[in-house]
Amino acid sequence: MIWNISKECMTPEEKRHLQGERLRKLVERVYHSVPFYRQKMQEMDIMPRDIRTIDDIVKLPFTTKQDLRDNYPYGLFAVPLSEIVRLHASSGTTGKPTTVGYTRYDLSVWSEMTARCLTAYGADRNDIFSVGYGYGLFTGGLGMHYGVEHLGATVIPMSSGNTSKHIQLVHDFGATALACTPSYALYIAETLEKTGIPRDEFKLRIGIFGAEPWTENMRKEIEAKLGIDAYNIYGLSEVMGPGVSYECQYKDGSHIGEDHFYPEIISPDTLEQLPYGQEGELVFTTLTKEGMPLLRYRTKDLCALDPTPCPCGRTSVRMSRIMGRSDDMLIIRGVNVFPSQVESVILEMEEFEPHYLLIVDRVNNLDNLEVQVEVKDGFYSDEINKMIELKKKIAGRLHSVLGLHADIKLVEPYTIERSQGKAQRVIDKRKLN
Ligand code: DLL
């Protein structure tokens, strides 16, 4: 069992002490080994000795994705390349990729963190995990892989793609756990139904889903379709990869591995730290990382933190679900829209499949939102009136949630492209023009 009681159940005082100590050492380290941070701190007139407790973190500079790009590929590394044993990279949608480098110690922390997650989901060494996250530069596949091995359970390194083969092996090998993106889980469920193999021939019981935003309604849908208990896992390559936070059996927010990652919520506008409970941008400082430590990395992910004790016994701060990224938020006719809001509405209605696409365009100088959604087999009809009624029904619900009119395009099942990794749910044509 990788239930690290000494780190997951610290008292607030113990935690503050440990975090303060680790922050002091971290700042000392980056000041002397990363010219980028030394320069930033000098510009702000801060010396390592100014950082004494964890509260002093607010004195430190932020780091952004742009800083990573500007220092591509190795500029933010704090150790010589001879100490780096693994590189990952994110392609990003624009500009240069960003690199992350791990020392052997960093990899051991990562394995422990993912193993901690799996333990929180109720898994142990008797489980067999099918990992359907992509293996490669993406951190999902290898990150989960080593966590499973660290736990002592069995890993099937499936990667993404080849869904029929995946299902066959999950069946034949008696896999008990599936790790992939929630959108790929849906695709797997759909493909599994088509195989006609009775569900009770599968031994799956746990799902480990993350790498993209998903809603509570999506959780219910996946759990019902696959007959499993679905858990959230969160992470980002810049900070580590999967395993930065994870749900426990209470599924009421994700526990952050605070002995390694110090979380803050800031206002993306003023950059001020916000109190617990308030929603804002999540920021992480990697307290123990050797290869590429980051001070106050701005994730762009929007959520809130809850410090109250959890009945599971872990005392770590929990983060709410990510409702979106500040750069994924659509502004349509002045109204803020997150794809997750649309997802929630669609999944509450029995008439629709959980597959949708948002297309935003500018028509006659006005923003226009089209929502394409698949109608379930039994509800698709040739009778125009029925379809018009259905359109009105969903348009009305969306209007009350978004405060905005959306054009609805009802499409037949299986018309919207399925995802095997992170789903692309938005096409913003305004950006293409
Ligand atoms: O997605 C790492 C990961 C792999 C996490 C597998 C979980 C499972 P990146 O490709 O760097 O790393 O993307 C990180 O994905 O900033 C969030 O916007 C989003 N994200 C990750 N997990 C979740 C989640 C991996 N559980 C970015 N819920 C992050 C919502 C998530 N968004």
Side-chain angles (χ1 to χ4, degrees), residues 175-186:
T176 54
L178 171 69
C180 62
T181 59
S183 52
Y184 191 37
L186 272 182

Side-chain angles (χ1 to χ4, degrees), residues 288-313:
T288 54
K289 234 176 155 196
E290 290 181 345
M292 201 185 85
L294 294 178
L295 299 182
R296 309 189 82 196
Y297 181 68
R298 294 187 55 186
T299 64
K300 298 262 172 105
D301 291 326
L302 302 174
C303 70
L305 296 179
D306 177 2
T308 58
C310 178
C312 75

Side-chain angles (χ1 to χ4, degrees), residues 98-308:
T98 51
T99 329
V100 280
Y102 304 75
T103 63
R104 201 169 287 287
Y105 170 77
D106 293 334
L107 291 185
S108 73
V109 170
W110 192 5
S111 307
E112 187 200 324
M113 293 309 295
T114 26
R116 273 192 210 174
C117 306
L118 305 178
T119 306
Y121 307 147
D124 62 29
R125 47 188 304 134
N126 297 310
D127 280 294
I128 301 177
F129 284 79
S130 185
V131 175
Y133 289 112
Y135 279 63
L137 290 175
F138 175 52
T139 51
L142 287 169
M144 290 305 310
H145 183 101
Y146 285 102
V148 177
E149 289 190 352
H150 189 71
L151 180 67
T154 308
V155 62
I156 312 173
M158 280 306 309
S159 197
S160 51
N162 207 344
T163 309
S164 307
K165 180 75 173 276
H166 191 155
I167 290 170
Q168 187 199 331
L169 295 192
V170 164
H171 174 264
D172 299 352
F173 291 175
T176 54
L178 171 69
C180 62
T181 59
S183 52
Y184 191 37
L186 272 182
Y187 182 34
I188 290 178
E190 202 172 68
T191 315
L192 192 149
E193 271 167 23
K194 283 195 216 148
T195 64
I197 309 173
R199 219 179 60 192
D200 58 13
E201 284 189 17
F202 289 89
K203 296 211 174 104
L204 283 179
R205 61 182 194 97
I206 299 175
I208 299 131
F209 304 127
E212 64 184 2
W214 55 310
T215 57
E216 277 307 313
N217 288 336
M218 181 70 95
R219 179 184 344 241
K220 285 188 212 139
E221 182 85 20
I222 297 174
E223 288 186 334
K225 286 202 155 131
L226 285 174
I228 56 169
D229 230 348
Y231 292 92
N232 189 32
I233 184 165
Y234 167 87
L236 61 165
S237 27
E238 294 86 336
V239 168
M240 181 177 78
V244 172
S245 77
Y246 46 93
E247 285 179 329
C248 62
Q249 71 263 40
Y250 292 96
K251 298 182 180 174
D252 186 15
S254 296
H255 290 275
I256 297 176
E258 280 181 295
D259 46 329
H260 297 290
F261 315 111
Y262 184 76
E264 296 172 82
I265 296 286
I266 61 161
S267 151
D269 304 321
T270 65
L271 305 187
E272 294 285 321
Q273 211 184 52
L274 297 177
Y276 283 139
Q278 226 162 300
E279 189 164 283
E281 181 179 337
L282 182 62
V283 168
F284 279 112
T285 298
T286 61
L287 295 174
T288 54
K289 234 176 155 196
E290 290 181 345
M292 201 185 85
L294 294 178
L295 299 182
R296 309 189 82 196
Y297 181 68
R298 294 187 55 186
T299 64
K300 298 262 172 105
D301 291 326
L302 302 174
C303 70
L305 296 179
D306 177 2
T308 58

